[in-house]
Amino acid sequence: MTGSDALLDALVAQGVEVIFGNPGSTELPLMDSLARPGAPEFVLGLTEPAVMGMADGYAQSTGRLGVVLVHVQPGIANAMSGVLNAARARVPLLVIVGQQLSSMLPGAPFLGGEVADIARPLARYSREVRTPADLGAMLRDAVAAALGPPAGPAILSVPLETQAGPARRLPGLPVAPSGPAPPDPAALDAAAALLAAAREPVVLAGDGVAHAHGEAVLARLAARLGAPVMSEPFASRLVMGTDDPMWAGPMPRFAAGIRQALEPHDVVLAIGMPVFRLFGWSPGPALPGAVRLIHVDADPDEIGRSHRPDIGMVADPAMAMDGLLARMGAPDDPAGARHDRVAAALLTARVNEHAALAARASGDGVITGAVLSRALGEAVAPDDLVVDEGITATRDLRVALGDRAPGSVLWHRGSALGWGLPAAVGAALAQPSRRVVCAQGDGSLMFGVHALWTAAHHRARVAMVVADNSGYEILRAGMEGLTGRPEGGWPGLAVTDPDLDIAAICRGFGASAEHVDDPGALDDAMRDLLGRADAGPAVLVVRVEGRTPPVGGPLDGATAG
């Protein structure tokens, strides 16, 4: 048995069925072992960002460890955008990096170089196996770190002599996250008392609720409190059904907007999320001065990072919510009346949101982002998984999708572009009977389009809608916010002269692809897209017109003091 055989056997015993990768010559022993009967299926991707995104989507869809194989120092360097996205979204990924023979590394060989230090600032774990005898313990540590809590990417560099040399069977690997310490009873007592005395509580629920399988207890807690629930500004997961009476939608992404949303409330329960991850600068703090903050998260680094809470708990979000419910008992009359009042207000707000979207989706003879979002929202089925990296063109998609259940949507939580299509492909490979609908911007698609080949090779049921506005509209909107001018001759915003033939690019990677620019033909084109996806990856390129509302504002005062 070689080190490669032992490593793969340990991963199989852990439950790993698929390894995504873009291999090179320093992974040849591993690739040889992957050809053995009983080894995990190897899914080839054409670039490292593509395989990272596919493993990300696979892990988020299955709730299991995603495994990636990349090639030496350039491979991990190319994969760093995916490491960043997985770290931000707390996705459990094990990234195995094939390394040159250790004896050659002092001479700086062509194939070889520092790996672990590159990833260490973002990864939950990043080490190199220095001797073959260390492989078992380090693989176990890497898997444990990836599973968390909190979960995230772990990097393990494995030199050639460890892969090819003799080895014994490795010890068993963790198959589930290590259990967090239970919530502090005194902190739970204090938090329950503060919430019980609140006049207008609000719950801010992040992806950590979904990671802890806490969606049901979140709904019970919100109902008990009579409190609206908002998701964190950059959520990847849906933590509550959008038809729940207490669902209030996502939070704004600037401090000024968050402060305005929280000003009517006296107590904030933020659970399973950073407080707060912001898009950019705006004047003033995110939290109103008089508000009381309870912050619960599995990551101790997040408690007090930006805002010191009145009550902070490092705990599993579901366990903490269970503890709060147990302490609060049955609702009293004020809470019951508040529930009915809040539910009525949120229902009115949702009706108004849909009416406003209908007005924006008139289109005036062109396909705007609102028109596209409406058509896509009406076309997808309730059981479809929607993966959204549409950036500006799908700003209205959350409203247009209507009632969605947890587990039916994935949004881009990281900040490195090109996650959407690869994540959709990974999700489709994880659940081959489920159709995955991916909304993608034309600019962000160019960072991950290579994943289409993998989708075509595996006949994955991916239907991708590409919003084509021939440029970086988010930057133009940002420039308008900064300067107050809608246009300014700014360089680097238009992708024209020549225009990208996106449909031809997608066909080149093996997908079927069509184009539409007539709003009257859009609904039929959507139905055709979804039908084509049953035979393999299908693409619809939609010409989108119109401007995104300004993003951000002037930086006056941002550097004061």
Side-chain angles (χ1 to χ4, degrees):
M1 174 181 285
T2 67
S4 295
D5 296 333
L7 187 156
L8 293 178
D9 286 349
L11 290 177
V12 169
Q14 197 274 347
V16 173
E17 298 176 352
V18 177
I19 294 178
F20 299 86
N22 183 263
S25 55
T26 59
E27 295 79 58
L28 294 181
L30 272 166
M31 298 304 295
D32 187 44
S33 294
L34 279 164
R36 295 182 311 150
E41 178 186 6
F42 184 79
V43 174
L44 174 65
L46 304 188
T47 65
E48 290 88 357
V51 297
M52 290 294 296
M54 287 189 281
D56 184 311
Y58 180 93
Q60 292 207 58
S61 296
T62 61
R64 304 206 305 267
L65 180 72
V67 182
V68 182
L69 179 63
V70 299
H71 179 50
V72 292
Q73 191 177 53
I76 191 62
N78 285 338
M80 282 303 294
S81 61
V83 173
L84 170 62
N85 285 336
R88 288 285 176 86
R90 299 184 185 177
V91 180
L93 294 186
L94 172 65
V95 184
I96 300 169
V97 187
Q99 177 64 289
Q100 182 57 274
L101 288 164
S102 298
S103 61
M104 295 182 65
L105 292 177
F110 181 72
L111 293 178
E114 179 54 51
V115 168
D117 285 349
I118 292 175
R120 192 165 286 126
L122 294 175
R124 301 292 304 167
Y125 178 98
S126 188
R127 297 281 300 278
E128 185 163 286
V129 180
R130 295 298 185 184
T131 67
D134 293 334
L135 177 62
M138 294 182 74
L139 178 62
R140 180 178 179 83
D141 289 347
V143 171
L147 294 175
I155 284 76
L156 189 64
S157 174
V158 185
L160 272 168
E161 70 270 17
T162 299
Q163 297 177 44
R168 294 182 177 180
R169 187 170 302 277
L170 301 181
L173 301 176
V175 296
S178 60
D184 176 45
L188 281 175
D189 290 342
L194 185 55
L195 287 167
R199 298 183 310 277
E200 293 291 341
V202 62
V203 179
L204 312 180
D207 286 355
V209 172
H211 299 157
H213 308 290
E215 296 94 339
V217 68
L218 171 64
R220 293 197 301 272
L221 179 61
R224 165 62 184 84
L225 292 171
V229 177
M230 289 188 281
S231 68
E232 59 180 305
F234 292 93
S236 179
R237 311 283 283 274
L238 190 58
V239 295
M240 175 179 275
T242 58
D243 59 347
D244 190 287
M246 294 293 103
W247 175 246
M251 300 179 66
R253 296 180 172 185
F254 288 81
I258 293 173
R259 184 172 64 254
Q260 183 178 13
L262 296 182
E263 278 176 348
H265 303 281
D266 58 338
V267 176
V268 172
L269 170 61
I271 189 154
M273 59 177 281
V275 178
F276 296 96
R277 180 163 289 123
L278 304 173
F279 185 83
W281 179 83
S282 60
L287 280 177
V291 77
R292 307 287 300 278
L293 173 64
I294 304 165
H295 189 189
V296 183
D297 196 73
D299 188 350
D301 292 339
E302 289 298 344
I303 306 297
R305 180 197 289 272
S306 301
H307 298 276
R308 183 177 297 278
D310 294 89
I311 301 168
M313 280 181 271
V314 178
D316 176 274
M319 293 172 66
M321 288 188 290
D322 270 328
L324 289 172
L325 277 170
R327 284 161 172 78
M328 297 187 70
D332 52 20
D333 288 342
R338 182 169 60 228
H339 175 281
D340 294 343
R341 171 172 52 81
V342 169
L346 291 175
L347 177 59
T348 298
R350 284 194 285 271
V351 170
N352 290 340
E353 279 184 333
H354 284 276
L357 172 58
R360 289 194 299 275
S362 61
D364 295 326
V366 298
I367 301 175
T368 63
V371 171
L372 173 59
S373 295
R374 176 210 54 82
L376 184 53
E378 292 181 354
V380 298
D383 291 338
D384 290 341
L385 175 65
V386 178
V387 179
D388 183 11
E389 195 187 21
I391 315 296
T392 55
T394 54
R395 289 166 65 98
D396 288 311
L397 185 56
R398 291 176 187 252
V399 175
L401 285 171
D403 294 343
R404 302 295 293 187
S408 66
V409 185
L410 287 177
W411 289 288
H412 187 18
R413 179 189 171 101
S415 52
L417 293 178
W419 164 90
L421 172 61
V425 174
L429 295 178
Q431 303 177 69
S433 63
R434 187 181 198 184
R435 186 170 60 199
V436 180
V437 180
C438 177
Q440 189 77 64
D442 55 347
S444 56
L445 174 65
M446 293 301 106
F447 290 77
V449 68
H450 312 87
L452 267 182
W453 179 87
T454 304
H457 182 73
H458 291 270
R459 307 295 190 269
R461 296 182 68 207
V462 176
M464 180 171 65
V465 177
V466 183
D468 179 10
N469 57 20
S470 299
Y472 300 124
E473 173 61 14
I474 187 64
L475 298 184
R476 190 216 58 78
M479 291 298 296
E480 183 175 355
L482 177 70
T483 68
R485 305 191 310 273
E487 299 291 346
W490 303 300
L493 272 62
V495 184
T496 55
D497 192 23
D499 294 336
L500 292 174
D501 189 342
I502 297 173
I505 292 171
C506 294
R507 292 187 194 106
F509 283 104
S512 68
E514 301 294 340
H515 183 280
V516 63
D517 56 12
D518 176 7
L522 182 57
D523 290 340
D524 286 342
M526 285 286 182
R527 285 188 287 270
D528 174 69
L529 168 73
L530 299 181
R532 285 189 283 120
D534 287 338
V539 178
L540 178 64
V541 182
V542 183
R543 181 65 193 175
V544 174
E545 309 285 351
R547 288 178 175 156
T548 300
V551 174
L555 293 177
D556 300 342
T559 59

